[in-house]
Amino acid sequence: MNCQEVKEQLDAALDDQRVVSGQFDVVRDADVVAHAESCPDCRVLYDEYLLIESALAVWVPRRPAVDLTDRVIEAARREGLISSTGSAVFGKVDEVGKVDGAVPRAGRLTSGDEPFFLAGTQATPAAGRSVWPTIVTVALVLAAVAIVFQEKPGTIAHREKTPQLSVPDSPPGLLDPRQDQVADIGHLVADAQSAWRGIANRVSHQASGFSVFVPNFTSELGIADVIGSADDNSGSASPDDDAQRQETSQPSAVDKAFEFLFDKAEPAGTLTI
Amino acid sequence: MTEDVQLVQQCLSGNELSMRAFLSKYQGLVFSICLRMLGHREDAEDVAQDALVRVFRNLDKWDQQRPIKPWLLTIAANRCRTALEKRSKLPAQNDLAIDLAAERREHSRHEQDQLDIGEELELALGELREDYRTCFVMYHQEELSYQEIGEVLGCPQGTIKTWLHRARAQLAKRLQERGVVADPSALEAT
């Protein structure tokens, strides 16, 4: 082993020494020791190596205690590096994040700084306080409106909640078949009248721009009364009275309706049909 | 995702709590290297503060695939070099050396004993050239590699190796000058 090899081996051994992780690799190679014993230059190197090696073995590196946290946070706040909303502010340092009225003062927060409150692991600036009351107020108003509409008669919620009165079906034997016929005819006339009025109005409007007045002969002829009475009496009236009434009203109503349609339709407005 | 990456991402969102956590974790490292390089506590505090603000300002530029420690030390070392250039003269004595010397006098007065060899090393470190000292501390204390130290200090690896070798040699000579001898028991204990 020559001097260069001894020097390289000693350097490599020191390179392997890491104080924090406690890795030490002391050279105990017999060739190195033997060469150092016989070579004065290498003996000096070997002694230096042993000295540094033993010093590093007990060296506790000094890391002086320091707390620059408030100073750095303050400086970062002045530069707008701390977001007031938690969103990214980097790249917009000059435009956003300036703390109004904040007087730089090392070591502690200034009186002009915004106080912070904590939400979980996130820090939310006090600017958030102006948002939450609004959200809570809106939520309360919506809840109140929902309660009012829920109880108001006529709403869907109310109808769903209101128990429906159950009307028992009329026993088939108690209902005069003629009553059904009267009611059916009355509905038929009413439907025909509605359709007729609609068609007449639409055709005339498309043809000439005029609207046509077609009288509501259902009410004029008392058909509605017939229908209503038939509907009202179905299942609940006395069979004898109903039969007598319907026997007299049914033919005359139908006759009157057709008579009105073909013979007694009077002109109304400017156009006569 | 490493703990550092997660912490940095929270800092990037401007979260003050995360930034405080980041400072709690790394301000000692930054301040330590500033104090080693500048040798003056108040200057080191000012430069460390400046460096840490720069860290937050440029946090989005950190390559998250690489360790953050060399990146932090690079910023701190750059700020220290700038401060050293501005300084008209270097301090006559390192603050750490002053502290240790005071401790030594106190210790000698009461114990009439020799300083621990580790403390002697600390004292000798304060008398080293700044670049040698920085190189030694980054290698043996912060456990950076030659390549990482080269990147931090902006020097080739060969230069770092040379500086480290010279630092060890000078430390050994200073220890010998103080009458410190190798303690075989320390080596045996390891």
Side-chain angles (χ1 to χ4, degrees), chain A residues 164-172 174-175 231-236:
Chain A
Q164 297 296 319
L165 294 175
S166 59
V167 179
D169 294 336
S170 301
L174 298 178
L175 190 61
D231 288 341
D232 291 340
N233 292 329
S234 61
S236 61

Side-chain angles (χ1 to χ4, degrees), chain B residues 31-86:
Chain B
F31 177 71
S32 175
I33 204 67
C34 289
L35 187 55
R36 293 280 186 197
M37 292 182 72
L38 298 174
H40 190 270
R41 186 176 180 93
E42 290 182 3
D43 288 351
E45 287 183 358
D46 292 341
V47 173
Q49 175 186 334
D50 184 25
L52 288 166
V53 173
R54 282 175 180 263
V55 164
F56 284 132
R57 195 185 301 151
N58 296 285
L59 212 46
D60 56 334
K61 296 184 177 69
W62 169 54
D63 182 359
Q64 298 182 355
Q65 306 299 322
R66 307 180 68 179
I68 196 169
K69 203 172 176 180
W71 185 74
L72 293 174
L73 291 175
T74 302
I75 294 177
N78 286 339
R79 300 314 304 160
C80 287
R81 277 199 290 255
T82 303
L84 287 172
E85 288 172 3
K86 289 179 180 176

Side-chain angles (χ1 to χ4, degrees), chain A residues 58 97 133 159 186:
Chain A
V58 296
R159 283 200 298 271

Side-chain angles (χ1 to χ4, degrees), chain A residues 15 63 65 71 79 90, chain B residues 41 56-57 139 142 146 168:
Chain A
D15 281 354
R63 184 157 285 180
R71 291 174 59 175
E79 293 200 19
F90 290 81
Chain B
R41 186 176 180 93
F56 284 132
R57 195 185 301 151
Y139 189 85
E142 305 303 340
Y146 284 133
R168 289 168 182 160

Side-chain angles (χ1 to χ4, degrees), chain B residues 12-132:
Chain B
L12 282 171
S13 68
N15 187 323
E16 183 182 342
L17 272 190
S18 299
M19 295 169 83
R20 286 181 179 273
F22 184 91
L23 287 173
S24 175
K25 187 173 183 181
Y26 288 115
Q27 66 175 342
L29 169 72
V30 172
F31 177 71
S32 175
I33 204 67
C34 289
L35 187 55
R36 293 280 186 197
M37 292 182 72
L38 298 174
H40 190 270
R41 186 176 180 93
E42 290 182 3
D43 288 351
E45 287 183 358
D46 292 341
V47 173
Q49 175 186 334
D50 184 25
L52 288 166
V53 173
R54 282 175 180 263
V55 164
F56 284 132
R57 195 185 301 151
N58 296 285
L59 212 46
D60 56 334
K61 296 184 177 69
W62 169 54
D63 182 359
Q64 298 182 355
Q65 306 299 322
R66 307 180 68 179
I68 196 169
K69 203 172 176 180
W71 185 74
L72 293 174
L73 291 175
T74 302
I75 294 177
N78 286 339
R79 300 314 304 160
C80 287
R81 277 199 290 255
T82 303
L84 287 172
E85 288 172 3
K86 289 179 180 176
R87 187 186 288 175
S88 59
K89 59 178 181 178
L90 291 174
Q93 198 169 14
N94 188 292
D95 268 12
L96 285 176
I98 294 172
D99 293 344
L100 275 176
E103 285 181 13
R104 183 177 189 174
R105 284 193 298 272
E106 190 74 12
H107 190 76
S108 300
R109 187 160 49 244
H110 290 95
E111 304 290 336
Q112 295 295 317
D113 200 359
Q114 202 175 23
L115 266 184
D116 178 80
I117 189 172
E119 293 174 334
E120 289 284 0
L121 179 67
E122 186 74 42
L123 197 60
L125 259 178
E127 299 171 358
L128 276 185
R129 229 175 76 171
E130 180 270 320
D131 43 6
Y132 292 178

Side-chain angles (χ1 to χ4, degrees), chain A residues 213-238:
Chain A
F213 172 74
V214 177
N216 186 355
F217 51 79
T218 306
S219 58
E220 188 173 320
L221 298 177
I223 293 177
D225 295 335
V226 173
I227 297 170
S229 61
D231 288 341
D232 291 340
N233 292 329
S234 61
S236 61
S238 168

